[in-house]
């Protein structure tokens, strides 16, 4: 699974930060092998993509970053169309508001993939109620916490120490001592920095 994550970055031609801290070290695949995967990857030149190709690439990057499938991505887009405001901003807000992403942003998991596992296994609570659906949409003032019976498990070992290095986005807050997070407000476009051209994604789905 780790190699699969690295290949996604190499296909995209840039870091998608799918493996947490490893992406910031010399072990990162984009540092060691900054070329497409495959036996001819090192010698094969990247072709200039068409407009459609660029749109497809940006859409794929978005799906890979948030770990969602094409069907889910399209459904998020359709829902974003129905809301007021800029479609791309609405789309990003929905993806950032996923529970697995919030667990990742708070710093309880080093990647969204691992955060998704924590949610799936029932370790995460929203307003003191178990929430085991990664796509669950958090709302403003929601309190996110860890189930008490899970605190001694390996994924949460030395968590308080690790959290001291986490830089929270402005729309979230964290109580390190209580191991609680709070959704201060729903995320805005300026709160999120991802290597994706959302305009291209919207154009892809608007074809």
């Amino acid at each position: 699974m780790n190699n699969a994550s690295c290949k996604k970055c190499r296909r995209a031609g840039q870091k998608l930060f799918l493996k947490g801290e490893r992406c910031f070290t010399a072990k990162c695949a984009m540092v060691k092998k900054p070329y497409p995967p495959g036996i001819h990857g090192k010698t094969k030149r990247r072709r200039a993509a068409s407009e459609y190709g660029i749109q497809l690439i940006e859409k794929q990057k978005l799906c890979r970053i948030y770990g969602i499938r094409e069907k889910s991505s399209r459904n998020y887009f359709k829902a974003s169309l129905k809301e007021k405001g800029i479609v791309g901003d609405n789309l990003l807000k929905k993806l950032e508001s996923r529970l697995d992403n919030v667990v990742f942003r708070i710093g309880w998991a080093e990647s969204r993939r691992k955060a998704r596992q924590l949610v799936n296994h029932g370790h995460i609570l929203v307003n003191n109620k178990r929430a085991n659906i990664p796509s669950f949409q958090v709302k403003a003032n929601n309190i996110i916490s860890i189930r008490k019976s899970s605190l001694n498990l390996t994924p949460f070992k030395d968590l308080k120490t690790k959290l001291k290095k986490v830089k929270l986005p402005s729309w979230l807050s964290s109580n390190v001592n209580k191991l609680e997070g709070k959704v201060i407000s729903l995320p805005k476009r300026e709160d999120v920095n991802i290597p994706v051209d959302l305009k291209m994604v919207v154009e892809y789905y608007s074809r």
Side-chain angles (χ1 to χ4, degrees):
M1 185 65 185
N2 288 341
N3 289 334
S5 296
C6 292
K7 287 180 179 179
K8 291 176 182 178
C9 294
R10 291 172 63 197
R11 289 193 187 98
Q14 66 183 117
K15 291 187 180 185
L16 301 180
F17 302 98
L18 304 179
K19 295 177 67 177
E21 292 185 7
R22 186 185 180 92
C23 299
F24 297 94
T25 70
K27 294 181 180 180
C28 173
M30 285 303 295
V31 174
K32 298 172 67 176
K33 299 178 180 180
Y35 47 83
I39 58 175
H40 300 297
K42 196 170 185 178
T43 57
K44 187 176 181 181
R45 296 179 61 183
R46 293 184 185 272
R47 295 180 179 179
S50 63
E51 183 176 1
Y52 169 76
I54 295 173
Q55 294 169 359
L56 177 61
I57 289 170
E58 295 303 309
K59 185 272 297 183
Q60 289 175 331
K61 286 196 296 185
L62 189 70
C63 289
R64 288 165 181 166
I65 287 172
Y66 288 98
I68 59 175
R69 298 182 182 276
E70 169 62 20
K71 183 178 180 181
S72 295
S73 179
R74 189 173 291 276
N75 286 338
Y76 279 125
F77 172 75
K78 290 179 180 178
S80 299
L81 278 176
K82 298 177 182 179
E83 295 186 355
K84 294 181 180 180
I86 301 173
V87 178
D89 293 357
N90 294 340
L91 175 59
L92 187 61
K93 179 178 68 175
K94 290 183 178 300
L95 292 172
E96 281 289 309
S97 298
R98 286 173 55 100
L99 180 57
D100 56 357
N101 179 74
V102 172
V103 170
F104 163 69
R105 291 291 191 192
I106 293 174
W108 295 347
E110 63 179 15
S111 68
R112 290 180 179 86
R113 179 177 66 84
K114 291 186 177 181
R116 190 157 48 251
Q117 292 175 343
L118 295 181
V119 176
N120 276 328
H121 294 161
H123 300 308
I124 305 301
L125 308 177
V126 177
N127 295 335
N128 289 319
K129 295 182 179 180
R130 187 182 299 187
N132 58 4
I133 301 175
S135 61
F136 176 86
Q137 292 282 292
V138 301
K139 299 178 181 178
N141 297 316
N142 278 174
I143 301 297
I144 317 299
S145 57
I146 301 170
R147 192 177 62 174
K148 289 184 178 180
S149 59
S150 301
L151 289 173
N152 293 324
L153 299 179
T154 300
F156 305 109
K157 187 177 181 180
D158 300 324
L159 184 56
K160 291 183 179 180
T161 301
K162 295 176 182 177
L163 288 176
K164 294 178 181 179
K165 301 178 182 179
V166 175
K167 184 177 180 181
L168 285 172
S170 59
W171 57 282
L172 293 173
S173 66
S174 175
N175 187 319
V176 176
N177 291 324
K178 290 185 177 181
L179 289 180
E180 283 186 353
K182 182 177 181 180
V183 181
I184 300 173
S185 63
L186 292 182
K188 298 179 181 178
R189 179 66 186 92
E190 56 267 27
D191 297 327
V192 184
N193 182 25
I194 56 171
V196 177
D197 187 335
L198 291 172
K199 182 180 178 182
M200 291 291 103
V201 178
V202 172
E203 289 180 1
Y204 173 86
Y205 284 123
S206 299
R207 289 177 298 112

